[in-house]
Amino acid sequence: MAGDDDRNDPNRKGLVLTEEQLRRRKARNVAIAVALAVLVALFYLVTVFKMGGNVANRQL
Amino acid sequence: MSMIEENRVEAVAALPGPSLAGVEDYLALLKPRVMSLVVVTALTGLVAAPAGLHPVLGAVALLCIAVGAGASGALNMWWDADIDAVMARTAGRPVPAGRIAPGEALAFGMTLSVGSVLMLGLTANWLAAGLLAFTIFFYVVIYTMWLKRSTPQNIVIGGLAGAMPPMVAWAAATGTVGLESAVLVAIIFMWTPPHFWALCLIKSDDYARAGVPMLTVVAGPNETRRQILLYAIALAPLGVAPAFIGLGGALYLAVSVVVGIEFVRRAIVVYRVREGAEARKAAGKLFGFSLIHLFALFFVLLVEKAVGLPPLTAPIAGWM
């Protein structure tokens, strides 16, 4: 695609992010990754603790 | 330049521009200071409830309530960006300052609202989740969108949203709502007007410029001082009430009496001192003390439960 081909072209027109914008975007991405990891951990913990001892009581 | 390239350049120029928002801006959308109050009051509701969730599930429930409160704050900042922009106290918030686009704040707030309610339902129960959803709805739609710009009673009625966290937490722990949680809600509900009006006495010009009909703007500072005093007088016995319904112990009784009297004393000072820097100082001190007052009441309840201090015998226990 044309958009991908000229990604490293210094004469490329359109948005070119500044260092500060790149830094903040990276920080946002890291925060989203952390939030997703926390969500995974929360769902895991809630599942385990909601089941609790009931796992042993299930009908076999 | 081809027509396609020209169109592309024009389309890019029309975009809102790359986001300058940092992580701290998204955290600011959650109103962390309000969240800290919510965490303390909800934690008290959770710990004081007779039936308990598993500590891990309780912690997740508490997180859901805190995130739900934060989501309300984000949606409030999305809707109120226009008036926030003209008030000195709020002009630096992420949306009016242009660091976060209004649509981003809306999406952020809605995502967290739905996520926190669903997560609370799955973790605790759907009564608690329903109450959290009601709290968010009441704060965003009833208070922010409707009451705030239409009546000087905005924060009196809207204060219910800020008062609900102990009841949501109580429901999460017990699956029901009892008289005890209703009393905790009533304390925060009655505390909110004098707390907020004390701030309004200092920031009245801000609200007038933004066209928000706060009591100080519509009825004047002296009527506001009178109302502050009335609410402070009503709040004092209400603050003591948990000691008489089997919720608070001797320590709570002592602390609630002391802070209740001090709150009334400071409200009297605000009522009497009406001119100049001294009047602003008195209002500022009342505002600061109101935070200590609420934290003290809920923190002592929390400590009593945590260390196992027994509640006083409830004279009306037979009614419940």
Side-chain angles (χ1 to χ4, degrees), chain B residues 12-177:
Chain B
V12 168
L15 288 171
S19 176
L20 267 175
V23 175
E24 67 279 5
D25 290 317
Y26 286 92
L27 292 177
L29 279 183
L30 301 176
K31 296 193 177 180
R33 276 186 291 184
V34 177
M35 269 174 91
S36 66
L37 209 58
V38 168
V39 167
V40 170
T41 57
L43 181 61
T44 304
L46 209 56
V47 173
L53 276 172
H54 185 283
V56 172
L57 297 179
V60 176
L62 189 64
L63 178 70
C64 291
I65 297 169
V67 170
S72 308
L75 293 171
N76 169 275
M77 285 198 208
W78 158 68
W79 185 262
D80 275 348
D82 57 337
I83 55 178
D84 281 352
V86 293
M87 291 172 57
R89 186 173 68 89
T90 53
R93 284 177 173 175
V95 181
R99 294 191 300 277
I100 290 183
E104 285 177 308
L106 172 63
F108 185 62
M110 285 302 295
T111 304
L112 293 186
S113 295
V114 174
S116 60
V117 168
L118 291 179
M119 188 78 184
L120 185 60
L122 293 169
T123 304
N125 56 65
W126 293 102
L127 173 66
L131 287 170
L132 182 62
F134 168 77
T135 304
I136 296 170
F137 170 81
F138 200 87
Y139 186 73
V140 176
V141 178
I142 305 295
Y143 168 68
T144 303
M145 295 182 176
W146 178 27
L147 297 172
K148 185 172 179 180
R149 301 177 192 227
S150 61
T151 167
Q153 293 299 310
N154 46 17
I155 50 121
V156 176
I157 308 165
L160 179 64
M164 286 294 288
M167 185 176 273
V168 179
W170 188 282
T174 63
T176 183
V177 288

Side-chain angles (χ1 to χ4, degrees), chain A residues 9-50:
Chain A
D9 179 2
N11 299 317
R12 178 182 180 228
K13 295 184 178 67
L15 287 177
V16 178
L17 299 184
T18 64
E19 285 299 315
E20 180 65 10
Q21 285 164 342
L22 285 169
R23 191 184 64 77
R24 292 191 180 210
R25 185 174 68 177
K26 187 176 180 185
R28 290 197 299 272
N29 290 345
V30 170
I32 291 170
V34 170
L36 284 173
V38 168
L39 265 183
V40 170
L42 283 181
F43 275 103
Y44 177 76
L45 286 173
V46 168
T47 305
V48 168
F49 285 99
K50 285 286 277 187

